[in-house]
Amino acid sequence: KLVVAPLYGSVFLNPYISGETSLLIQAGYGYAFALGRGDLSGTYQKYRLGIVNDDSLGFFIEVNQYQFPIYDLNPAGSITLGVTLFDFW
């Protein structure tokens, strides 16, 4: 198991591409710390691309990259496919 705590800044854009649909674009850069693994840490990058409709339902793909060695992987990373629900009060 690997638990990572990233600390990063990001830019988030959500421009409309039609009347009810918007594009979700996010890029982030910072530093990540692997918890419980000694001094395992390194730079962190995050990229997300998605689409959101007027009902605040969205679908996205996200790529994360960690610049520290995990077993034989350096850099290590992950790819996520997801569904999101935005609810602004």
Side-chain angles (χ1 to χ4, degrees), residues 22-66:
S22 63
L23 194 60
L24 185 145
I25 304 167
Q26 182 180 9
Y29 186 82
Y31 207 76
F33 305 91
L35 303 178
R37 297 274 182 140
D39 61 352
L40 189 59
S41 61
T43 59
Y44 170 74
Q45 296 179 46
K46 173 182 183 163
Y47 303 99
R48 181 184 292 175
L49 180 62
I51 191 162
V52 180
N53 67 14
D54 194 37
D55 295 331
S56 299
L57 178 65
F59 301 94
F60 67 89
I61 184 168
E62 178 178 293
V63 177
N64 296 290
Q65 184 178 25
Y66 308 94

Side-chain angles (χ1 to χ4, degrees), residues 13-28:
L13 300 173
N14 193 225
Y16 280 96
I17 55 176
S18 72
E20 298 180 354
T21 305
S22 63
L23 194 60
L24 185 145
I25 304 167
Q26 182 180 9

